[in-house]
Amino acid sequence: MNSKLPDRPSGPRRNRHGRGRRGPLIPMHLPAYRSRPERFDDAVMASAQRLAQRWPGKIEKIEFLIDPVPSDKLLDQASALGERVPLASSVPAGARSPARIIIYRLPIEQIAENTGELLDLVHQCVVHEVAQLWMKPISEVDPSYFPEDPDF
């Protein structure tokens, strides 16, 4: 007896009673609609756009990446030097690759106590890394930048 099961329709999965997910659980206009990683991505993009207004044409040449945590190599280096977990890092432009700034999401989210502080920390990381890439003082990259920690 050789029977073939009918093809199941692709699309949202429903249970055997015809119930189940029918659409988004949270309306799009509510803040919880976007996940934490998506909101973090938005914060990095907002910071980059803020700098792009001051430095048109230069910020666009930098590639912004977001990783959950720093690599083991970076963590080992920070540990050996007695430093805290890196919040961001940068890689200068190469012959065939653009300059890159990598922002580490989880360490920043753990430090920030609220959304406003998270936005400030993200912007501080972006400004600090841009200043390192361009070898300019932080105050020149973003004059409105006033870090509370001078050892940032």
Side-chain angles (χ1 to χ4, degrees):
M1 196 162 163
N2 195 2
S3 65
K4 182 180 177 193
L5 294 174
D7 291 332
R8 292 189 175 217
S10 62
R13 176 107 165 94
R14 305 230 189 226
N15 65 16
R16 64 188 181 124
H17 299 289
R19 299 181 193 109
R21 277 190 58 181
R22 295 185 186 142
L25 298 175
I26 299 173
M28 289 174 54
H29 66 280
L30 294 178
Y33 180 75
R34 306 228 349 123
S35 68
R36 278 181 27 200
E38 289 172 333
R39 289 191 304 262
F40 192 87
D41 293 353
D42 293 343
V44 172
M45 290 306 299
S47 180
Q49 288 172 348
R50 182 172 156 186
L51 289 178
Q53 291 173 352
R54 178 161 169 73
W55 300 95
K58 288 189 83 174
I59 291 292
E60 290 81 7
K61 295 177 183 176
I62 299 173
E63 185 178 1
F64 291 88
L65 304 170
I66 299 166
D67 280 347
V69 293
S71 67
D72 289 338
K73 180 182 175 185
L74 279 176
L75 289 173
D76 291 342
Q77 287 175 353
S79 176
L81 296 171
E83 296 177 351
R84 64 181 181 193
V85 173
L87 303 178
S89 64
S90 56
V91 178
R96 298 182 182 188
S97 62
R100 280 183 247 137
I101 293 177
I102 303 108
I103 308 292
Y104 303 113
R105 182 175 61 86
L106 293 176
I108 293 174
E109 286 181 342
Q110 287 177 348
I111 294 171
E113 294 181 11
N114 55 44
T115 304
E117 193 172 318
L118 182 119
L119 295 173
D120 289 342
L121 275 170
V122 166
H123 187 66
Q124 287 177 8
C125 290
V126 169
V127 170
H128 185 264
E129 295 303 323
V130 168
Q132 279 192 329
L133 281 174
W134 292 349
M135 292 184 272
K136 292 185 182 238
I138 292 171
S139 59
E140 188 178 333
V141 173
D142 186 5
S144 66
Y145 173 86
F146 296 104
E148 295 177 20
D149 183 4
D151 297 328
F152 190 83

